[in-house]
Amino acid sequence: MNENLFASFITPMILGLPLVTLIVLFPSLLFPTSNRLVNNRFVSLQQWMLQLVSKQMMSIHNPKGQTWTLMLMSLILFIGSTNLLGLLPHSFTPTTQLSMNLGMAIPLWAGAVITGFRNKTKTSLAHFLPQGTPTPLIPMLVIIETISLFIQPMALAVRLTANITAGHLLIHLIGGATLALMSISATTALITFIILILLTILEFAVAMIQAYVFTLLVSLYLHDNT
Amino acid sequence: MDVKLELPIWILMQDFIPKGIAVVFQKGYYQYYKYLSMKKGNVAGLSMVLAAYVLFNRCRSYKELKQEQPSEYH
């Protein structure tokens, strides 16, 4: 049972060729592009949703920060769709791999920080010391702020990985428990099944929320630095 | 030696002349496109894509899944 639990997280290969490329590219099929003014309901729904999210997320930025809109919107669409597709049975979720989340988090965070250091050097350096700290505490606080700055990309990546992986593992475990309990006691199996349904609803919410949180934090780092 | 086919009743009721078989396919084609118009996006189209994706992943991980099955011989 132990080996089967983590078997769904290994990178899919077929005949030695990486299948994971296809699986990462698959969500882009679900977002069709259309150059018409009035589209079909599928495309219109997606455009409406995208407009809602971009207005809500990018309105706090100045024009310089709003140049990042395309990047952040693609990010939230990608993470959201990948997480939601991972809830289908037997599917592989690329965002459970720490390598991929680090690959997303580190460049985005580094881009925001370096933009801040290049364009507004004094303000960026001033972020290392919060306002109104008593003088004896200053050295320690600078060290703490530096550590908290460098931990931001790690936290972004690990947060996404851990949440999605933990959710999938829980679903596997509770599903297996329900199956095993069916032959022993039907009532307990029913209770476990209800827990499974609640957990699945939670996972749908977590899938979307994690996408949102990731993108929101990147946009906050951007806001600090533009 | 007689070979006795156990088919569902509705298949046996159709006439097996070539025209009859063509009529069956034609009816199926029209029924399919009644529910699925390719110009407007609808739930049926999207769920077909997702079902194909699930099937694809099941075929990919069939080897690992086979070990979990209660019956050893298939």
Side-chain angles (χ1 to χ4, degrees):
Chain A
M1 217 266 283
N2 287 333
E3 195 222 50
N4 285 335
L5 209 51
F6 289 102
S8 60
F9 294 116
I10 53 175
T11 328
M13 304 270 259
I14 196 166
L15 301 173
L17 292 169
L19 202 56
V20 62
T21 326
L22 283 176
I23 295 185
V24 170
L25 290 175
F26 176 70
S28 62
L29 271 181
L30 301 173
F31 295 105
T33 50
S34 166
N35 293 328
R36 292 167 169 265
L37 186 63
V38 180
N39 298 304
N40 56 11
R41 56 183 88 140
F42 192 52
V43 177
S44 306
L45 253 175
Q46 286 176 356
Q47 285 176 347
W48 166 80
M49 192 184 57
L50 199 59
Q51 219 179 15
L52 190 73
V53 174
S54 61
K55 276 203 183 135
Q56 205 261 319
M57 202 170 280
M58 304 309 290
S59 52
I60 53 173
H61 292 124
N62 53 6
K64 196 155 172 26
Q66 277 172 0
T67 52
W68 280 54
T69 310
L70 180 61
M71 180 73 232
L72 293 179
M73 287 306 116
S74 337
L75 189 68
I76 194 174
L77 273 184
F78 175 66
I79 300 182
S81 61
T82 319
N83 289 347
L84 282 174
L85 278 176
L87 289 172
L88 292 171
H90 303 315
S91 49
F92 171 71
T93 324
T95 40
T96 50
Q97 310 297 312
L98 185 64
S99 50
M100 182 167 128
N101 295 336
L102 275 174
M104 285 197 293
I106 292 184
L108 289 169
W109 165 84
V113 165
I114 291 178
T115 317
F117 269 109
R118 280 180 66 183
N119 300 335
K120 286 176 157 187
T121 322
K122 267 196 288 183
T123 324
S124 303
L125 282 174
H127 277 133
F128 282 121
L129 193 63
Q131 259 182 342
T133 41
T135 326
L137 279 177
I138 289 183
M140 204 175 66
L141 216 53
V142 170
I143 295 176
I144 291 178
E145 287 289 323
T146 318
I147 295 176
S148 92
L149 180 74
F150 281 100
I151 238 179
Q152 279 172 354
M154 302 296 145
L156 269 179
V158 172
R159 180 186 304 115
L160 186 57
T161 313
N163 270 300
I164 307 293
T165 315
H168 285 347
L169 269 178
L170 266 178
I171 289 182
H172 273 276
L173 278 171
I174 296 193
T178 317
L179 272 176
L181 277 175
M182 266 206 300
S183 50
I184 299 177
S185 143
T187 339
T188 326
L190 191 65
I191 296 174
T192 325
F193 187 63
I194 292 177
I195 296 180
L196 187 63
I197 293 184
L198 292 175
L199 195 64
T200 313
I201 296 175
L202 175 70
E203 281 311 305
F204 271 101
V206 166
M208 294 186 281
I209 288 171
Q210 285 304 314
Y212 174 67
V213 165
F214 196 98
T215 316
L216 187 69
L217 283 173
V218 171
S219 103
L220 273 176
Y221 301 153
L222 186 65
H223 186 66
D224 279 342
N225 287 313
T226 47
Chain B
M1 282 235 287
D2 261 358
V3 174
K4 191 165 180 217
L5 286 176
E6 289 183 9
L7 288 171
I9 301 181
W10 61 270
I11 288 188
L12 295 170
M13 281 200 326
Q14 311 292 326
D15 30 89
F16 280 104
I17 56 176
K19 187 161 179 240
I21 298 179
V23 162
V24 166
F25 279 116
Q26 207 173 33
K27 273 202 269 188
Y29 183 82
Y30 283 129
Q31 277 180 342
Y32 177 74
Y33 276 108
K34 185 167 67 166
Y35 291 113
L36 207 74
S37 90
M38 276 300 128
K39 278 208 171 146
K40 313 195 272 186
N42 42 15
V43 182
L46 179 69
S47 53
M48 263 199 340
V49 175
L50 294 180
Y53 181 62
V54 172
L55 208 66
F56 169 70
N57 279 312
R58 194 178 178 284
C59 296
R60 167 183 66 80
S61 49
Y62 179 67
K63 239 189 197 172
E64 284 97 26
L65 288 175
K66 199 166 186 312
Q67 291 158 6
E68 289 176 31
Q69 275 168 6
S71 62
E72 208 179 276
Y73 303 102
H74 220 220

